[in-house]
Each structure stands twice: as structure tokens, then as C-alpha cells.
């Protein structure tokens, strides 16, 4: 059998701990036997990040700008304990944060839906994808404790020396609290563009929700920017693709999401996205079944699993104990990247392979063979609890 051809390489970002072990197994057993795999390899494992003073992370992000599609393994974000464990020179920043800042992206998280791992919400038949704006609002705020009576104002001082603008927040007659938040037109517009691009690339409807009836300037501006970007750049392409954009109030969106069948994208402001993505991943069953993709408004894609490096399992693995770590989200990071590469390079066989690998993975679980995290929540009768190696081997033989 001849292997499936690739033309442009993927940017491959290796990572840490148990997911680094899964990474090798997935490549060796599920991809390389079938695909003439071309990648530009960057080792984002913590040791290499430390050795290169984190330059390797920047290089990997720059390579993504050049090649367009990346697949990333989970990586350690160092904290005090990791400083000692890895004898680090510095507490390097989160690689995801660094990459996001360089690619200017929006993060989309979507659950992998399989029979036997049932969402808590009975009506959900298809995945619901959250698009979370990752800049500003309460994540970049200024807060004051107001200890005693006094006035709090918002003051805008134009840089060009124009007239100052003042607005009273509150005349405090007793102690309280106050907060100032902001956002930027360019950031909101790029969030809108990334969301619309993702809707087009996955052919799903997209909802955006805020609280413009209460926040008549701030949230209303989000609504306006989305509407302007949509009308100017996307309306015709959406009509052609047969998909829809609509705006509604955030509380109405929550009610509709619960009653829905799924199968759409929900664009959320920063705080809404933070809260709702955790709600959705739990309600769909398992963090180990959640994919994540960073989409930049310039059309770069970076695929990864939503979970971390699964440290606890790694220590068991190092101690020679059996592990049952779920590789599904990491497999889907690879298939997402391969399918996108296939789409951009017009390689239908590569796209078909990515879908076959996804199908083989889902079919393996639906046949009753699954890792421990799923075996403990499945509604299938008599599930077979496979260890890490057995589960990947079961997918390979089905493939
Ligand atoms: P985690 O790696 O997501 O794991 C937390 C727990 O969730 C695990 O101990 C395990 O539960 C369960 N779990 C997660 N993924 C699983 C899988 N694939 N299969 C089976 N069970 C799974 O989070 P963490 O332990 O808080 O973080 C570990 C490291 O990951 C940290 O250094 C953090 O910085 C990093 N991290 C990286 C990313 C990223 O690169 N995108 C994201 C988050 C965290 P049980 O132990 O109960 O089996
Ligand atoms: Mg959260």
C-alpha cells in the first residue's frame, strides 16, 4: 500500500508528560503507517523551552504564520513547583499565551460526541462549539475598594489635548466597591472575523450574545461591531454556504442552548466564554473529549486537546504502572490539522484519511472499548476498560 501524500508540512509542537507519550504513540501507530507525514518539528517540552530561553515557542508560532496549520501537544505552564522539578532558569510564560499573542487568535472548543457518553442535556445531539474572546473586559480590569462616602467617576483624557469627558459611576454615601473595564475596536473586530471564518470553515450557524439592553454603550458596541463586520465581509459568503448568523441577548442564548440540538457555534464575550465553556465540557461528559483550536483572523490554525499534560498519569507511567489515559482529544488535534492541511492543499485523500481515523476512534469507543475515564461514565453495557496501549492498538486495528 502506498502512503497518502502531503505537500506542505504541518507545524508540529511536541509537549510534556503523559501527552508527550501519547503523541509518539499516535504518530507511530495511527498516522505514520498510512501518511507520508511531513512536519516541521518544534520541541515545546519544558526542558527545550528552558534551554532555548523560550525561543522555540516563538519560532513555532512564527512557523505557524509561514505554514498556516499547526498541531500542538499539551505543555506544562511552569509554577513554583515546576521551577524546582525542572531546575528552570525562569518561570516561562504559558506557551499557549505566547502563541495566542503572536497569532492574534480566538479559541474554539468543541466536544467530541460519541454514543454511550451521553450529554446531561437530553436534547443535545450534536456538538456545541464555544468561541471565546480572549482579550479585555474583567480580565484586564481596575478595581477600587471604596472605604467611605465619596464620588467615583470615569474620566477620559484625550491624548491630543481635547476636552476631558467625565461620567459619574456612583456618589457613595456608604462603603462599597467599583470597577473599570475596557475593550478595543480592533480586538472585537478580529474576534468577530475569527468567529465568522470558523463558522464558514465548519459550515455551522453562529450565535453571538451579549447584554446590550442593559449595557447600552459597552455591550451594544460588541453587537454593532459584529453586525458591521458581518454585513461588510461575510453576509454573501454565509448565504452561499447556507449558514446563518444571529444576535440575541445572553440570557435568551442560554435558554436556547439548553433547548437546542447542538450543531452550532456560540461566540461569547470573555467572561461568558470562560464560564460557559466549563459548563459545556462538563455537560458533554469529559474534558478528555474536548478539542480546542486557535483560529487567527489571518487564517492560521493551531489544533490541540483542551486538557493538560495529565501529570498524575505520567508519574504512574514513569513508575512502570499501568495507565489508562484517553488520547481522543489529541488524536482529534492531529486529524483536525491533517484535514485542514488537506483542504488548503487540495488533497482529498488526506482529508478522507483524517475522517477515517476519527471514525475508527469513535467506533472503537462505541464498540465498548474505552479508557478508564469513559468506562466510568458510559451508558453502554459491559464496557471494556483498556489501558493506554490497548486502546490505541484497538483504534489502529480498526483503522
Ligand atoms: P490535566 O492535565 O488536564 O489533568 C487533570 C485531570 O483530568 C487528570 O489528572 C485526569 O484525572 C483528568 N484528565 C485530563 N485529561 C485526561 C485524559 N486525556 N485522559 C484521562 N484523564 C484525563 O490538568 P492538570 O493536572 O491540572 O495540569 C497538568 C499540567 O498541564 C500542568 O502543568 C498545566 O500547566 C498543564 N496544562 C496545559 C494545557 C495546555 O497545554 N493546553 C492546558 C491545561 C493544563 P484523574 O487524575 O482523576 O484520572
Ligand atoms: Mg473557566
Amino acid at each position: 500500500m502506498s502512503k497518502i501524500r502531503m505537500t506542505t508540512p504541518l507545524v508540529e509542537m511536541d509537549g510534556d508528560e503523559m501527552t508527550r507519550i501519547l503523541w509518539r504513540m499516535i504518530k507511530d501507530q495511527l498516522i505514520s503507517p498510512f501518511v507520508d507525514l511531513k512536519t516541521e518539528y518544534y520541541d515545546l517540552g519544558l526542558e527545550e523551552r528552558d534551554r532555548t530561553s523560550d525561543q522555540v515557542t516563538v519560532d513555532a508560532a512564527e512557523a505557524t504564520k509561514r505554514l498556516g496549520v499547526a498541531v500542538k501537544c499539551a505543555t506544562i505552564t511552569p509554577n513554583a513547583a515546576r521551577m524546582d522539578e525542572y531546575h528552570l532558569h525562569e518561570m516561562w510564560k504559558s506557551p499557549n499565551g505566547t502563541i495566542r499573542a503572536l497569532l492574534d487568535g480566538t479559541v474554539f472548543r468543541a466536544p467530541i460526541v460519541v454514543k454511550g457518553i451521553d450529554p446531561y442535556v437530553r436534547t443535545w445531539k450534536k456538538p456545541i462549539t464555544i468561541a471565546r474572546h480572549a482579550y479585555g473586559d474583567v480580565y484586564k480590569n481596575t478595581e477600587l475598594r471604596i472605604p467611605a462616602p465619596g464620588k467615583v467617576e470615569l474620566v477620559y483624557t484625550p491624548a491630543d489635548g481635547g476636552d476631558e469627558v467625565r461620567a459619574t459611576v456612583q456618589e457613595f454615601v456608604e462603603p462599597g466597591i467599583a470597577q473599570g473595564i475596557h475593550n478595543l475596536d480592533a480586538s472585537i473586530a478580529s474576534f468577530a472575523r475569527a468567529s465568522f471564518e470558523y463558522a464558514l470553515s465548519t459550515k455551522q450557524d453562529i450565535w453571538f450574545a451579549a447584554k446590550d439592553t442593559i449595557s447600552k454603550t459597552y455591550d451594544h458596541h460588541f453587537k454593532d461591531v459584529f453586525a458591521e463586520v458581518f454585513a461588510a465581509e461575510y453576509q454573501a459568503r454565509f448565504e452561499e454556504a447556507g449558514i446563518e448568523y444571529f444576535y440575541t441577548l445572553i440570557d435568551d442564548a442560554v435558554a436556547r442552548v439548553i433547548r437546542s440540538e447542538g450543531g452550532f457555534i456560540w461566540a461569547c464575550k470573555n467572561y461568558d466564554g470562560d464560564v460557559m465553556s466549563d459548563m459545556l465540557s462538563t455537560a458533554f461528559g469529559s474534558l478528555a473529549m474536548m478539542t480546542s483550536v486557535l483560529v487567527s483572523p489571518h487564517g492560521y490554525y493551531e489544533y490541540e486537546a483542551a486538557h493538560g499534560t495529565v501529570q498524575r498519569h505520567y508519574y504512574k507511567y514513569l513508575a512502570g504502572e499501568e495507565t489508562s489515559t484517553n488520547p481522543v482529544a489529541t488524536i482529534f488535534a492531529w486529524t483536525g490539522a491533517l484535514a485542514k492541511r488537506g483542504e488548503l492543499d487540495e488533497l482529498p485523500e488526506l482529508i478522507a484519511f483524517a475522517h477515517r481515523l476519527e471514525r475508527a476512534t469513535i467506533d472503537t469507543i462505541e464498540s465498548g472499548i474505552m479508557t478508564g475515564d469513559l468506562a466510568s461514565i458510559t451508558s453502554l453495557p459491559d464496557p471494556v476498560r483498556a489501558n493506554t496501549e490497548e486502546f490505541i492498538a484497538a483504534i489502529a486495528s480498526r483503522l
Side-chain angles (χ1 to χ4, degrees):
M1 192 181 79
S2 68
K3 290 191 186 182
I4 294 161
R5 195 172 58 96
M6 286 182 73
T7 46
T8 319
L10 285 177
V11 178
E12 175 184 354
M13 306 183 193
D14 208 343
D16 289 300
E17 299 195 311
M18 199 60 204
T19 40
R20 189 179 178 99
I21 307 297
L22 295 176
W23 197 257
R24 250 291 39 105
M25 293 180 183
I26 292 167
K27 273 180 70 178
D28 288 352
Q29 295 176 53
L30 301 179
I31 300 173
S32 296
F34 309 100
V35 178
D36 185 18
L37 186 62
K38 285 193 171 58
T39 74
E40 225 178 88
Y41 180 85
Y42 294 85
D43 185 358
L44 267 54
L46 188 49
E47 278 147 6
E48 185 63 8
R49 278 183 276 148
D50 193 50
R51 196 187 67 78
T52 62
S53 301
D54 213 19
Q55 184 61 37
V56 66
T57 308
V58 175
D59 292 347
E62 293 299 337
T64 307
K65 288 187 177 174
R66 182 161 40 79
L67 296 173
V69 185
V71 56
K72 179 181 169 293
C73 181
T75 46
I76 292 169
T77 298
N79 55 16
R82 301 296 198 165
M83 294 288 290
D84 296 339
E85 187 184 351
Y86 285 83
H87 310 291
L88 300 179
H89 296 102
E90 237 180 79
M91 203 185 288
W92 306 110
K93 286 196 213 141
S94 148
N96 285 345
T98 302
I99 294 166
R100 224 169 278 170
L102 287 167
L103 301 185
D104 180 18
T106 299
V107 175
F108 297 82
R109 275 178 149 207
I112 299 152
V113 175
V114 300
K115 287 195 206 79
I117 310 298
D118 304 321
Y120 288 91
V121 178
R122 276 183 324 234
T123 50
W124 291 354
K125 302 276 183 282
K126 291 181 248 171
I128 298 169
T129 303
I130 290 234
R132 175 182 170 189
H133 186 208
Y135 178 82
D137 299 353
V138 75
Y139 300 85
K140 214 170 181 316
N141 65 354
T142 306
E143 302 183 330
L144 284 179
R145 168 82 175 109
I146 310 301
K151 181 154 84 164
V152 173
E153 290 178 291
L154 284 179
V155 182
Y156 164 57
T157 314
D160 66 5
D163 290 343
E164 200 174 79
V165 181
R166 289 176 168 267
T168 301
V169 174
Q170 181 69 6
E171 295 269 9
F172 285 88
V173 294
E174 58 186 300
I177 43 181
Q179 179 182 63
I181 61 172
H182 81 282
N183 222 298
L184 301 170
D185 285 8
S187 177
I188 301 168
S190 92
F191 166 45
R193 284 193 188 96
S195 301
F196 292 138
E197 287 292 338
Y198 193 76
L200 280 168
S201 91
T202 61
K203 301 207 170 35
Q204 298 182 90
D205 290 348
I206 176 160
W207 309 1
F208 176 56
K211 194 72 182 178
D212 64 291
T213 48
I214 298 298
S215 173
K216 290 187 192 325
T217 302
Y218 198 103
D219 276 24
H220 207 286
H221 192 62
F222 273 83
K223 177 183 176 180
D224 288 346
V225 171
F226 265 71
E228 281 158 24
V229 169
F230 182 71
E233 300 168 34
Y234 291 96
Q235 193 147 16
R237 290 167 71 194
F238 269 51
E239 275 161 24
E240 205 176 301
I243 58 173
E244 242 182 64
Y245 162 63
F246 83 96
Y247 174 86
T248 186
L249 285 168
I250 184 70
D251 31 6
D252 179 51
V254 169
R256 283 171 187 254
V257 163
I258 297 295
R259 287 196 309 264
S260 78
E261 281 202 347
F264 57 90
I265 296 154
W266 183 12
C268 288
K269 288 179 62 201
N270 211 346
Y271 175 82
D272 297 336
D274 184 349
V275 176
M276 291 304 167
S277 66
D278 282 17
M279 188 273 283
L280 280 186
S281 63
T282 308
F284 268 105
S286 169
L287 184 60
M289 298 290 279
M290 186 64 80
T291 61
S292 180
V293 54
L294 175 74
V295 180
S296 89
H298 318 290
Y300 316 131
Y301 293 78
E302 184 226 338
Y303 293 83
E304 65 169 346
H307 61 76
T309 60
V310 213
Q311 181 182 19
R312 199 182 65 82
H313 295 213
Y314 182 58
Y315 289 161
K316 283 176 70 178
Y317 175 86
L318 286 183
E321 290 172 39
E322 180 178 78
T323 58
S324 184
T325 313
N326 188 336
V328 173
T330 305
I331 294 171
F332 274 63
W334 274 99
T335 56
L338 289 170
K340 178 55 73 180
R341 199 63 272 169
E343 188 188 314
L344 296 175
D345 295 349
E346 294 176 23
L347 300 170
E349 287 195 1
L350 191 61
I351 300 173
F353 169 77
H355 293 153
R356 272 203 301 281
L357 176 49
E358 291 178 354
R359 195 67 252 166
T361 304
I362 289 171
D363 287 349
T364 301
I365 299 170
E366 293 182 349
S367 78
I369 302 170
M370 59 194 80
T371 46
D373 57 316
L374 299 182
S376 64
I377 58 169
T378 186
S379 59
L380 294 177
D382 311 317
V384 178
R385 183 188 177 285
N387 66 33
T388 309
E389 292 78 6
E390 288 165 350
F391 182 67
I392 289 176
I395 297 170
S397 70
R398 196 170 275 274
L399 189 61

